[in-house]
Amino acid sequence: QVQLVESGGGLVQAGGSLRLSCAASGSPFSFNAMGWYRQVPGKQRELVASIDGGGITRYVDSVKGRFTINKGNAKNTVALQMSSLRPEDTAVYYCNAVPPSWVGVTDYWGQGTQVTVSP
């Protein structure tokens, strides 16, 4: 049973920083890609940042230059360093992982961690 566990959310003032971490357990394989999505009530979940097996990263335009996604030293771990946070970054952040196609599962999701940025 693959599980993604996130940590590091919380409350921070605008301009501050937070670091989110995600670790997968129960996975005998390496993921093709891992990433972070976020969602606010009434809106669709959006991709914030992702990193693939080759280290290629993608960011939504609104976080470019402020957020950095990195793989962790341990297999199937990923972190999101968030700096210069803005109130509009407030959301529930979800870790996402894409397994190899032979697994037969589209992707996996963490339970979400709340990030709140106060003005």
Side-chain angles (χ1 to χ4, degrees):
Q1 182 88 7
V2 175
Q3 289 186 320
L4 303 182
V5 179
E6 301 120 333
S7 61
L11 173 64
V12 65
Q13 287 187 328
S17 299
L18 280 175
R19 182 178 178 85
L20 304 183
S21 297
C22 174
S25 62
S27 168
F29 46 80
S30 294
F31 292 111
N32 285 349
M34 297 186 76
W36 292 91
Y37 286 70
R38 65 187 179 187
Q39 188 170 25
V40 297
K43 291 191 176 182
Q44 284 191 328
R45 193 171 295 188
E46 69 166 352
L47 173 66
V48 176
S50 66
I51 185 167
D52 68 15
I56 303 299
T57 57
R58 288 195 301 158
Y59 297 92
V60 67
D61 286 347
S62 62
V63 308
K64 287 180 180 177
R66 301 188 297 121
F67 291 11
T68 302
I69 189 169
N70 283 302
K71 294 181 182 180
N73 291 328
K75 188 182 80 170
N76 292 337
T77 60
V78 67
L80 183 69
Q81 179 66 45
M82 305 185 293
S83 303
S84 302
L85 282 160
R86 304 168 181 169
E88 53 264 39
D89 294 318
T90 295
V92 178
Y93 284 70
Y94 296 90
C95 181
N96 174 268
V98 179
S101 58
W102 58 262
V103 174
V105 174
T106 301
D107 56 10
Y108 297 95
W109 292 93
Q111 79 284 0
T113 184
Q114 177 70 46
V115 171
T116 302
V117 184
S118 63

